[in-house]
């Protein structure tokens, strides 16, 4: 069973990070962290190194940063939706873990739904 945890912003990362730590300490070798949205790649890699999470489990998608304008760029949404679709097709996850209620998660949930991949959401 391949589990994918998705984080799209710093607000959800604490919860996602806790799950990554738990998975890293279990015998389940098939899990990945997909990082996209409002994240900084170097910060995530520093975090992964500090808790000994193999950075090969981490895949980075398109990013955008909230500035003065908090609206999600439509160009990013299109790129993200395409990236999610290709990532799901290449990895074939058995479970998608979504944390929070950010609008950026809608393409992930939609893609999982159309491929009949169960979603764990909290």
């Amino acid at each position: 069973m391949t589990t994918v945890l998705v984080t799209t912003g710093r607000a959800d990362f604490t919860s996602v990070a806790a799950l990554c730590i738990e998975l890293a300490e279990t015998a389940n070798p098939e899990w990945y962290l997909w990082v996209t949205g409002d994240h900084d790649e170097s910060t995530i890699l520093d975090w992964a190194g500090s808790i000994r999470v193999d950075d090969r489990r981490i895949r980075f998608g398109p990013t955008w940063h909230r500035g003065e304008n908090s609206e999600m760029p439509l160009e990013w949404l299109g790129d993200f939706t395409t990236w999610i679709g290709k990532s799901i097709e290449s990895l074939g996850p058995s479970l998608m873990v979504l944390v929070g209620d950010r609008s950026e998660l809608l393409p992930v949930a939609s893609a999982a739904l159309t491929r009949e991949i169960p979603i764990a959401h909290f």
Side-chain angles (χ1 to χ4, degrees), residues 3-23:
T3 301
V4 171
L5 297 91
V6 181
T7 178
T8 61
R10 292 176 303 227
D12 63 23
F13 186 65
T14 302
S15 297
V16 171
L19 288 169
C20 289
I21 292 166
E22 289 294 320
L23 287 169

Side-chain angles (χ1 to χ4, degrees), residues 35-97:
V35 179
T36 185
D38 189 19
H39 276 294
D40 178 79
E41 186 171 328
S42 63
T43 302
I44 298 297
L45 291 174
D46 287 347
W47 164 82
S50 71
I51 63 162
R52 298 186 185 110
V53 168
D54 184 350
D55 63 2
R56 290 176 292 180
R57 295 186 183 280
I58 302 172
R59 296 187 180 183
F60 292 94
T63 60
W64 66 282
H65 297 286
R66 294 182 193 275
E68 293 177 14
N69 181 1
S70 64
E71 291 182 7
M72 179 190 322
L74 292 178
E75 182 179 357
W76 176 85
L77 184 59
D79 292 344
F80 178 56
T81 302
T82 300
W83 180 80
I84 285 293
K86 288 179 180 179
S87 296
I88 285 175
E89 292 298 321
S90 71
L91 189 60
S94 307
L95 176 67
M96 303 289 293
V97 178

